């Protein structure tokens, strides 16, 4: 990877991680993810956000620092906006290689430096609005943005260039290659990254939508000309695109969602699948777009991303040993953790000799505050009356989604 200049004093460094490892041990990254760090050079040198020792990331960091005319041992200040180990896992080694650098972080961040890396001395705690002058017009200013993504999180701003170092905020999955700026990608590539930014948001940040809104509100007085996150594209041409996108994502929590339906289904012997086709016919009659996600075949990462933006949800599953189809129980568990709230929902499904999914489904969706249409369950294969009922429920759900 190459080092990229953002201004005469600020450089972007990144490592593309392409691995079969799961991000956070849960989320697939088939298209990779970037770990971005930033170098700010005044009379003193600051490095903003670090890496973990993952697929050669520390080597990339060292090589790109050298290309920018500096080195690990030259760093005076290591700003840690966020302590999750994707940005800090290599801290112990860094502190061994560099005996002078001081870690700059929030008070809660300092606690985590101690908990994860047993370092308590080389830390400067900063508070909301504090500034550190590096010389040559490079002044770091810090803004606490708790829970974007962890409670200790802050963002760092340099007014010379209007650069906001936002760490997880405004981030995305997807490796970058040798281009890093928004104006270097084609519309098709932006479409890809938009999908990966939604998946990243839904997987990583979704539970904290309220805090995303607060952070954006807090930063609204700044002249932000570059959004420089620690995952994904750096936005120097149209930073408002990613800020507005994140505001839209945050609004999915309790505001306007897309008038679309995420259809999540599982089937043991094809009978639930057969019934689902009638629901889809009803939805199509009303002209509402929908997407299909089969469990357990599709990873919940993508199901969550789609459900996060959709106003409507269909849960189609058979009864399994008196209860829900097990992979669907996992999906609803994830929906609870990630606050997939206030949807219009329809449950359908077949059973063999007795039903039983209802009780578990109702318990699992109660905290989600979903508006559930009357469910349709049938024994065995769907007969003509069931088919008509399923079609009607599909129409009813689609109409509710359109009216929302
Ligand atoms: Fe990229 Fe919450 O760490």
């Amino acid at each position: 990877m190459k080092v990229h200049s953002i201004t005469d004093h600020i450089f972007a460094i990144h490592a593309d991680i392409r691995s079969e490892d799961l991000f956070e041990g849960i989320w697939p990254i088939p298209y990779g993810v970037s770990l971005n760090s930033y170098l700010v050079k005044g009379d003193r040198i600051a490095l903003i956000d670090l890496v973990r020792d993952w697929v050669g990331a520390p080597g990339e960091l060292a090589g790109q620092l050298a290309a920018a005319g500096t080195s690990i041992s030259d760093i005076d200040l290591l700003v840690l906006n966020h302590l999750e180990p994707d940005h800090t896992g290599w801290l112990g080694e860094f502190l061994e290689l560099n005996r002078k650098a001081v870690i700059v972080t929030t008070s809660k961040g300092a606690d985590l430096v101690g908990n994860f890396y047993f370092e308590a001395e080389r830390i400067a705690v900063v508070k909301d609005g504090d500034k550190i002058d590096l010389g040559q017009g490079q002044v770091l200013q810090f803004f606490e943005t708790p829970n974007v993504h962890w409670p200790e999180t802050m963002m760092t701003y340099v007014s010379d260039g209007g650069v906001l170092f936002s760490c997880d905020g405004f981030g995305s999955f997807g490796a970058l290659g040798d281009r890093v700026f928004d104006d270097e990608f084609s519309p098709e590539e932006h479409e890809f990254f938009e999908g990966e930014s939604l998946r990243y948001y839904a997987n990583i940040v979704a539970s904290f939508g309220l805090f995303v809104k607060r952070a954006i509100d807090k930063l609204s007085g700044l002249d932000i000309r570059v959004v420089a996150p620690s995952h994904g594209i750096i936005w120097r041409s149209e930073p408002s695109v990613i800020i507005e996108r994140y505001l839209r994502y945050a609004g999915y929590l309790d505001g306007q969602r897309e008038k679309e339906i995420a259809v999540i289904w599982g089937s043991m012997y094809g009978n639930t699948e057969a019934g689902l086709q009638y629901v889809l016919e009803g939805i199509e009659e009303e002209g509402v777009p929908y997407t299909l996600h089969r469990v357990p075949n599709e990873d919940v990462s993508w199901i969550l991303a789609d459900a996060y933006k959709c106003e409507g949800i269909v849960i189609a599953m058979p009864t399994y040993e008196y209860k829900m189809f097990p992979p669907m129980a996992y999906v609803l568990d994830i929906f609870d953790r990630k606050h997939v709230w206030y949807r219009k929902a329809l449950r359908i499904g077949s059973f063999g000799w007795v039903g039983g999914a209802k009780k578990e489904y109702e318990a699992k969706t109660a905290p989600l505050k979903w508006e559930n249409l009357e469910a349709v369950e049938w024994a065995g294969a769907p007969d003509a009356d069931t088919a008509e009922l399923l079609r009607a429920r599909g129409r009813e759900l689609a109409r509710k989604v359109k009216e929302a």
Side-chain angles (χ1 to χ4, degrees), residues 110-261:
D111 292 342
L112 294 179
V113 172
N115 294 344
F116 279 106
Y117 306 106
F118 311 113
E119 175 58 52
E121 304 299 321
R122 296 165 60 183
I123 299 176
V125 169
V126 289
K127 299 187 301 299
D128 212 29
D130 282 356
K131 295 181 179 178
I132 294 178
D133 190 345
L134 302 177
Q136 301 183 35
Q138 305 307 298
V139 180
L140 308 177
Q141 188 171 15
F142 308 101
F143 294 90
E144 293 182 56
T145 52
N147 295 316
V148 188
H149 157 224
W150 280 6
E152 85 293 354
T153 311
M154 66 176 186
M155 296 188 189
T156 301
Y157 176 72
V158 174
S159 62
D160 183 29
V163 185
L164 179 72
F165 304 100
S166 55
C167 202
D168 279 358
F170 311 119
S172 168
F173 288 140
L176 294 173
D178 271 332
R179 294 167 295 156
V180 297
F181 296 111
D182 56 339
D183 47 78
E184 297 178 305
F185 292 97
S186 69
E188 293 73 27
E189 288 169 321
H190 272 291
E191 196 176 334
F192 162 78
F193 277 108
E194 183 166 6
E196 284 292 274
S197 64
L198 173 62
R199 191 167 70 89
Y200 171 85
Y201 183 95
N203 291 185
I204 309 299
V205 191
S207 312
F208 309 107
L210 213 60
F211 296 94
V212 171
K213 285 191 214 175
R214 278 185 199 159
I216 292 174
D217 191 46
K218 176 184 256 189
L219 301 168
S220 62
L222 297 177
D223 175 21
I224 298 172
R225 279 168 275 155
V226 180
V227 172
S230 288
H231 302 292
I233 290 173
I234 299 166
W235 299 80
R236 68 177 177 188
S237 180
E238 293 189 89
S240 61
V241 168
I242 193 66
I243 296 172
E244 284 165 16
R245 187 183 295 170
Y246 259 61
L247 265 178
R248 177 158 48 87
Y249 293 165
Y252 291 153
L253 184 71
D254 56 358
Q256 193 72 44
R257 287 170 284 273
E258 308 303 326
K259 294 182 186 299
E260 299 172 23
I261 297 173

Side-chain angles (χ1 to χ4, degrees), residues 306-326:
D306 200 34
Y308 203 72
K309 73 178 170 68
C310 286
E311 179 63 33
I313 291 184
V314 173
I315 300 289
M317 62 179 163
T319 292
Y320 187 90
E321 295 179 352
Y322 308 104
K323 293 179 133 186
M324 287 174 55
F325 190 53

